[in-house]
Amino acid sequence: MPEASAARETSPFVEIDRRRWAALAPATPQPLTEQELVQLRGLGDSLDLREVAEVYVPLSRLLNLYAAGARDLHSATRSFLGESGRSTPFVIGVAGSVAVGKSTIARLLRELLSRWEDTPRVERVTTDGFLLPTAELARRGILHRKGFPESYDRRALLRFVSRIKSGVEEVRAPVYSHLTYDRVPDAEIIVRRPDILIVEGLNVLQPPGPGASLAVSDLFDFTVYVDARTSDIAQWYEDRFLALQSGAFADPRSYFHRYAALSHGEAVAKAREIWREINEPNLVENILPTRARASLVLRKEHDHTVSTVLLRKI
């Protein structure tokens, strides 16, 4: 027990269990309906309204407070410097493994944050659009490492977020298709000075790469890492692969259409092979080591529910 107490005292995080976390915003009304939640829920996620109320509504309130604090600090700094100008967008990074549910969380936070009166304009961008085109990955011989840090156009992503933080009126980002497993030619997402921008991706908490002095994570105002046991994420990935096999993979346009005809046993074996050779190494080598850099960690249990929140001490 003394060792556990000492570890808590030296940790940069405050650990808050689910019940205590839920009690932090008891008077906040439930902003979503069941139908709206169904539209936000990702494949394989078991997110329900109770989880929203107990975990994500308090988180949205905390993020709203941080965003308001950032605006106040910006205003005070401008006054101190004798300058004028509008506050720049508050940027949130959401990181975590494949299949951990970060996309659902990012979509949910966008919806919740947009319902606070002082942050009505909230945008979400995924780093998938900044993956190098499939042809370029193949040319470099790293198609099998798609999702690893080197598979992204990190300079383009850094320029995009830098322009957002600089207050540029209109910033464009590329679009990615999970159906074709590639960028969509000539398609763009246009972001126009939001109150909050959520940037979601596997490696958004990475430190600067070789030869670089700045990383996209250096431009975030707040970061969330979605955490779970590796064995649980592996199972969630397998479940999702099997669901996609009978769904999206059946589309002849799908990059993974070749897996649609696999037997159940073959599909399980293929999912485990992809996890073992690609997703698990990326998690262990690149994603998991960035967890300690987050502002807040959401710890999930086997059933996808959040049991604990770790908030970085101020």
Side-chain angles (χ1 to χ4, degrees), residues 109-117 119-122 196:
L109 288 177
R110 177 188 177 183
E111 192 65 31
L112 293 175
L113 286 166
S114 69
R115 300 190 182 201
W116 291 100
E117 289 185 4
T119 55
R121 293 179 296 114
V122 183
I196 294 176

Side-chain angles (χ1 to χ4, degrees), residues 179-197:
L179 181 68
T180 62
Y181 199 54
D182 205 350
R183 285 190 189 182
V184 179
D186 302 320
E188 293 179 317
I189 297 170
I190 302 175
V191 179
R192 295 183 175 90
R193 286 192 63 95
D195 299 306
I196 294 176
L197 174 68

Side-chain angles (χ1 to χ4, degrees), residues 236-289:
W236 298 339
Y237 176 78
E238 181 180 320
D239 294 341
R240 189 176 75 174
F241 185 94
L242 295 176
L244 287 169
Q245 191 212 10
S246 59
F249 293 175
D251 189 325
R253 297 171 299 168
S254 172
Y255 181 85
F256 297 102
H257 182 61
R258 61 191 181 278
Y259 298 145
L262 295 178
S263 68
H264 177 77
E266 289 170 335
V268 168
K270 176 55 67 173
R272 291 176 180 175
E273 176 189 329
I274 295 172
W275 173 261
R276 184 176 63 252
E277 296 183 359
I278 300 174
N279 294 318
E280 185 174 25
N282 195 19
L283 170 60
V284 173
E285 296 167 16
N286 301 303
I287 303 168
L288 191 55

